[in-house]
Amino acid sequence: PTLSRVAAAGAYGINDSQTRSRDSYALTGAAMLGFAVVGILGASRKSLPNRGMKPCYAEDDAYGASHTSFYTDAVAKDKYDTIDEVMGKSLKDPKMQGMVHELLDACVKITEALRVNLVTVNDASNAFGDRQLTVDVIADDLLWDLAKKSKFVCEASSEEEPEILKTNPDGQYVLCWDPLDGSSIVDNNWAVGTIVGVWDKSTGLLGATGRDQVMSLVALYGPRTTVFMTMDDGVYEFTLGPGQQWICSREKIEIKKECKIFAPANLRVAQEVDGYAKLVDHYMTNKYTLRYSGGMVPDVCQQFTKLQGVFTNPTSKASPAKLRLAFEAAPFGRLVEMAGGKTSDGVSGNSVLDVKIEAVDQRTALAIGSAFEVDRFNEMVLQKVPA
């Protein structure tokens, strides 16, 4: 507990001299104990008999881990900016600031609901006849409460009920959301998320494209709750901290053009599309690292934390498109492209942000992530040579 208090104080920029002085002796004792343990372990290792076994060492000595692992290089700061401090510099529109606050409040409520509610089947079904989970319904209800009460929202639509409903005629924005992406893995207690796309009422949703979005936001509910959102000058990550306060944990995120992390969705397509089978073989042959959970939110959001990666979801006759353009592909497309990544619509090879939204429930194939890897997808799977 002593170490935790000091670590927490440092992590959130708390300058608590009393906490530090009170715990200095404990820190010193812990450090001495740590050195002693290391010394004992080192001596024990040297004195162990060989017994005919050859020592096995990781190729990468860092962290004693495989060279294919990718660990964070983030260094703790003395102070982290609050959401209001960041918006004051990087999101100038007052209406959008208000919209962001309401969306973040909803994410806090969804976080709390996930912590205390069991994952069980609900009596209701969605528009497609799928049995809904209790947590799906709770998350969707919370976002509908936001949309119906907000002075900023004029129209809204949920992936669970893909119809556009009018809310406040004086509102400015059209909201589209997937309330809880990852329903098939949430019972495993794996990371899931909320995806939100925001369009201005001047374009509306139907007839617009993903490029017409004025903001997109993705919340990731894991050991921590983090939110990735587009601002005037790039993509930022905010972390839900003590007292339900949002702090800026990453700013102006830049995704590298090259990568060694892949997340291959819809692998059944590899049985029909030779190009996809060859692409997956390329990843394996060249020792890319597989990081795939089956949840789009964690599988794409790793690109913002690792600063690299590619998520692929092609289609075939037997495995048609499942991703929703307005609810999933377009919001993520805006985030990734604003962070320097690239997207493909999985058909023409053009950006998914240029696909016209002609139906609320319109589906699409998708490749998204590091630019050179999206180019590779277009070339190998679609036979489209990069310009």
Side-chain angles (χ1 to χ4, degrees):
T2 299
L3 290 170
S4 298
R5 286 198 301 274
V6 176
Y12 290 103
I14 300 171
N15 186 13
D16 189 340
S17 58
Q18 291 182 341
T19 297
R20 295 179 185 275
S21 61
R22 182 173 64 244
D23 294 330
S24 60
Y25 292 106
L27 282 169
T28 303
M32 292 176 66
L33 177 61
F35 286 124
V37 170
V38 171
I40 293 169
L41 290 176
S44 299
R45 182 179 297 169
K46 291 177 182 177
S47 61
L48 286 174
N50 191 349
R51 296 185 181 176
M53 294 186 294
K54 294 182 179 179
C56 180
Y57 301 105
E59 293 184 42
D60 185 351
D61 289 336
Y63 308 97
S66 165
H67 72 290
T68 60
S69 298
F70 292 89
Y71 290 88
T72 184
D73 59 358
V75 178
K77 300 179 181 179
D78 292 331
K79 179 185 179 300
Y80 289 85
D81 289 341
T82 66
I83 180 67
D84 288 325
E85 289 172 330
V86 175
M87 287 198 297
K89 298 180 292 185
S90 300
L91 194 65
K92 298 296 186 181
D93 187 339
K95 288 184 178 180
M96 183 57 72
Q97 291 181 4
M99 187 76 265
V100 166
H101 274 300
E102 292 184 354
L103 287 168
L104 291 180
D105 287 345
C107 292
V108 172
K109 293 174 182 177
I110 294 172
T111 297
E112 294 171 342
L114 288 170
R115 296 288 182 261
V116 299
N117 285 276
L118 296 178
V119 179
T120 58
V121 177
N122 191 274
D123 293 334
S125 299
N126 63 17
F128 309 100
D130 301 327
R131 295 288 298 277
Q132 291 179 290
L133 302 177
T134 49
V135 287
D136 281 326
V137 174
I138 292 170
D140 201 33
D141 286 348
L142 287 168
L143 287 164
W144 274 118
D145 286 345
L146 179 163
K148 291 174 180 178
K149 295 176 182 177
S150 174
K151 66 179 181 180
F152 303 111
V153 181
C154 63
E155 294 179 345
S157 185
S158 166
E159 189 233 18
E160 297 293 332
E161 303 248 357
E163 298 177 1
I164 300 175
L165 299 183
K166 296 186 182 298
T167 54
N168 179 2
D170 297 322
Q172 186 68 37
Y173 304 115
V174 179
L175 291 190
C176 286
W177 65 76
D178 183 345
L180 201 64
D181 184 78
S183 297
S184 65
I185 60 173
V186 68
D187 58 338
N188 298 340
N189 204 23
W190 293 0
V192 294
T194 298
I195 308 171
V196 183
V198 183
W199 282 259
D200 191 81
K201 67 178 181 181
S202 61
T203 65
L205 180 67
L206 296 180
T209 68
R211 208 170 291 284
D212 292 319
Q213 291 173 99
V214 292
M215 198 271 286
S216 65
L217 174 153
V218 172
L220 176 61
Y221 311 112
R224 294 166 292 119
T225 294
T226 54
V227 166
F228 301 90
M229 71 173 73
T230 60
M231 293 202 168
D232 297 340
D233 57 353
V235 175
Y236 288 70
E237 179 197 62
F238 295 90
T239 296
L240 185 60
Q244 310 292 37
Q245 299 298 308
W246 294 94
I247 60 170
C248 181
S249 39
R250 286 183 174 84
E251 60 184 21
K252 297 181 182 178
I253 296 169
E254 288 289 334
I255 298 173
K256 300 172 185 175
K257 294 185 182 298
E258 297 180 337
C259 82
K260 296 289 283 186
I261 298 174
F262 74 112
N266 208 2
L267 275 174
R268 297 182 186 88
V269 172
Q271 296 178 323
E272 295 180 78
V273 179
D274 189 51
Y276 196 34
K278 290 180 179 178
L279 179 62
V280 173
D281 183 66
H282 169 85
Y283 296 147
M284 302 302 292
T285 302
N286 289 277
K287 298 183 179 179
Y288 285 49
T289 295
L290 173 66
R291 290 289 182 267
Y292 179 70
S293 72
M296 186 181 184
V297 172
D299 291 340
V300 177
C301 283
Q302 65 181 331
Q303 298 174 12
F304 305 127
T305 54
K306 303 302 185 185
L307 306 181
Q308 61 170 299
V310 62
F311 173 89
T312 53
N313 195 325
T315 60
S316 66
K317 290 181 179 179
S319 298
K322 292 184 179 180
L323 295 179
R324 273 80 170 179
L325 177 59
F327 301 107
E328 297 166 317
F332 259 123
R334 177 178 170 84
L335 279 160
V336 168
E337 290 199 9
M338 281 195 70
K342 193 169 184 176
T343 67
S344 168
D345 62 9
V347 178
S348 69
N350 296 328
S351 169
V352 75
L353 293 180
D354 294 326
V355 179
K356 191 174 183 178
I357 302 170
E358 298 175 331
V360 180
D361 190 46
Q362 186 172 338
R363 313 296 178 96
T364 184
L366 182 68
I368 186 168
S370 294
F372 291 166
E373 290 304 324
V374 174
D375 286 341
R376 191 189 310 279
F377 172 90
N378 286 340
E379 187 173 358
M380 296 185 70
V381 180
L382 307 181
Q383 284 77 54
K384 304 287 185 181
V385 179

